[in-house]
């Protein structure tokens, strides 16, 4: 697997958020609820992709906040039941993989790449995110997606 490190400018994500600890149980239903309501969102950016943003991981409980959403213009008001998060300019290690290989990508990042490349995983509240390219179908386990791990130089 290849990883590139990039400084990503700040951006705003608007969508639906839940807190949980077993991602495979609560995240797919959240996306289903969100997609039913996407027509309510104004101020969409032209990028076309979707974001799954993780924040506020609690190492004791394993819980984290997950926001399923789209990039919008800063200051866009969220519809009722939705939230927006401003993500500051940060540095990420980026892996392109498929949803079927997401576990392998996480293991590669933590076990192989991170120990030898002079970075550490930044444990700040921003966490990291998944980026689903515009052409991602959400039905094909082989469609590419991006995993963005927040990193900082050691």
């Amino acid at each position: 697997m290849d990883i590139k490190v990039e400084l990503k400018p700040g951006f705003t994500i608007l969508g639906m958020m839940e807190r949980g600890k077993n991602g495979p149980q609560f995240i797919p239903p959240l996306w289903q609820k969100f997609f039913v309501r996407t027509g309510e969102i104004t101020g969409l950016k032209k990028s076309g992709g979707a974001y799954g943003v993780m924040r506020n991981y609690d190492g004791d409980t394993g819980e984290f906040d997950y926001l399923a959403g789209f990039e919008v213009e800063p200051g866009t008001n969220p519809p009722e039941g939705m939230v927006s998060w401003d993500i500051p300019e940060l540095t990420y290690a980026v892996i392109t993989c498929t949803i079927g290989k997401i576990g392998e990508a996480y293991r590669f990042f933590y076990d192989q790449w991170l120990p030898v490349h002079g970075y550490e995983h930044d444990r700040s509240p921003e966490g990291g995110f998944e980026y689903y390219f515009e052409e991602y179908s959400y039905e094909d386990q082989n469609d590419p997606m991006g995993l963005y791990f927040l990193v900082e130089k050691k």
Side-chain angles (χ1 to χ4, degrees):
M1 291 188 165
D2 291 328
I3 294 185
K4 65 178 181 174
V5 176
E6 70 177 56
L7 179 65
K8 182 160 177 54
F11 58 104
T12 301
I13 301 298
L14 188 148
M16 296 180 73
M17 192 273 301
E18 285 189 19
R19 185 164 182 80
K21 65 179 175 181
N22 186 346
Q25 282 187 332
F26 82 90
I27 293 174
L30 175 62
W31 278 106
Q32 291 172 351
K33 289 188 280 188
F34 172 66
F35 282 134
V36 170
R37 298 192 54 203
T38 58
E40 300 173 38
I41 299 172
T42 61
L44 286 172
K45 288 277 203 148
K46 301 263 187 257
S47 68
Y51 290 80
V53 184
M54 293 153 277
R55 272 189 173 172
N56 301 318
Y57 177 76
D58 183 325
D60 294 331
T61 66
E63 291 184 326
F64 59 94
D65 297 332
Y66 184 92
L67 176 65
F70 293 129
E71 186 175 0
V72 295
E73 296 292 338
T76 301
N77 290 322
E80 186 174 333
M82 294 190 195
V83 298
S84 65
W85 288 352
D86 292 322
I87 311 295
E89 179 177 276
L90 295 166
T91 301
Y92 296 92
V94 184
I95 299 175
T96 299
C97 66
T98 64
I99 197 77
K101 299 276 186 180
I102 200 167
E104 182 181 323
Y106 271 85
R107 285 188 298 277
F108 175 79
F109 172 73
Y110 286 109
D111 298 343
Q112 296 177 30
W113 187 86
L114 200 57
V116 298
H117 283 87
Y119 287 90
E120 58 188 14
H121 188 208
D122 185 338
R123 300 286 183 185
S124 70
E126 273 71 25
F129 61 90
E130 305 153 348
Y131 179 70
Y132 299 92
F133 302 108
E134 187 172 3
E135 60 275 6
Y136 191 86
S137 72
Y138 302 93
E139 297 168 3
D140 186 346
Q141 295 283 308
N142 296 311
D143 281 348
M145 60 176 288
L147 292 178
Y148 286 68
F149 296 92
L150 186 56
V151 293
E152 63 184 355
K153 279 283 200 189
K154 285 186 179 179

